[in-house]
């Protein structure tokens, strides 16, 4: 079980990687990693007394019908844990502008303390009934940020790191696509919407097979723009991102030679209407054989 750290401003929990959480490379999938991040974030929120209804709301938020929704997710994996490995995850949250908050994570191999990944996310406050964004009031700030570090603490403190990089609007015909994706009942979360992690799987559905066979995902960034319901049909589009300098965002880990990396842009949209659900970017490193 996880617990708050001594200062009460961050939360730490360890997880063993199960056999059903690994993929073709015999290591945890990125969906497994994202699910663990979501789990430890929810457990942190509950440990400080926020609601257990799936929205991690405070008393004032519930009175006003306000909820948190994901705006951006950025994950970097330097070394994927294997079946049986134990991963220690630390998380904390803090203010991010007038209408949002951010949550960061550090992932370590419990056996040796090695940092194997980092992640950050941005969340905005929305009125549950009108679905409009709303400014974080002073009352909510007092309830939430008492549990946050008093000075900024960032999982990605480097300047110009990949978590800050904008993702352009994609209008040209996609080089790769997977059309007609349909949410399964198991893809819905406790709030009756498609779970955030499902979008990651949909993005990967349109990655070309030769990349899947020869590379592994190093970085994924997703900007969430619209909600997806159980009866929606989704198209996954992938574009090769040309002319971009790829780096390791100033991490402690050496980046592979640029020729061994591939970078793509992504768009999930509703089939038919074409409205954008989210857009993304992935960076892939060549597998060591």
């Amino acid at each position: 079980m996880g617990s708050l750290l001594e200062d009460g401003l961050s939360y730490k929990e360890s997880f063993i990687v199960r056999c059903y959480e690994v993929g073709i490379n015999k290591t945890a999938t990125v969906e497994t990693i994202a699910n663990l991040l979501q789990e430890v974030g929810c457990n942190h929120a509950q440990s400080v007394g926020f609601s257990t209804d799936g929205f991690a709301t405070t008393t004032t938020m519930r009175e006003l019908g306000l909820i948190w929704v994901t705006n951006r997710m950025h994950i970097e994996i330097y070394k994927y844990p294997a079946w049986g490995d134990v991963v220690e995850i630390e998380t904390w949250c803090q203010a991010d502008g007038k209408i949002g908050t951010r949550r960061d994570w550090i992932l370590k191999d419990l056996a040796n303390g090695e940092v194997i990944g980092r992640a950050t996310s941005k969340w905005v406050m929305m009125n549950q009934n009108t679905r409009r964004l709303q400014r974080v009031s002073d009352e909510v700030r007092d309830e939430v940020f008492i549990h946050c570090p008093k000075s900024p603490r960032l999982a990605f403190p480097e300047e110009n790191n990949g978590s800050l990089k904008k993702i352009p609007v994609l209008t040209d015909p996609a080089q790769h696509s997977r059309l007609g994706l349909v949410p399964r009942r198991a893809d819905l979360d406790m709030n009756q919407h498609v779970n955030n992690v499902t979008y990651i799987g949909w993005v990967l559905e349109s990655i070309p097979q030769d990349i899947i066979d020869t590379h592994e995902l190093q970085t994924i960034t997703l900007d969430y723009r619209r909600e997806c319901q159980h009866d929606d049909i989704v198209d996954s589009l992938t574009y090769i991102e040309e002319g971009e300098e790829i780096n390791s965002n100033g991490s402690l880990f050496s980046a592979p030679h640029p020729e061994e990396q591939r970078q793509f842009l992504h768009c999930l949209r509703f089939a038919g209407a074409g409205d954008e659900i989210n857009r993304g970017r992935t960076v892939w490193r060549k597998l060591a054989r």
Side-chain angles (χ1 to χ4, degrees), residues 236-256:
S236 174
L237 309 176
T238 288
Y239 306 72
I240 298 171
E241 186 169 24
E242 302 285 2
E244 291 291 338
E245 181 182 352
I246 304 172
N247 57 60
S248 60
N249 299 320
S251 75
L252 300 175
F253 304 86
S254 299

Side-chain angles (χ1 to χ4, degrees), residues 70 199 223-229 268 270 274-278:
T70 314
Y199 297 108
D223 287 340
Y224 295 87
R225 310 184 72 82
R226 284 182 174 84
E227 298 173 306
C228 190
Q229 310 289 338
L268 295 180
F270 293 117
D275 292 335
E276 186 180 50
I277 303 169
N278 67 23

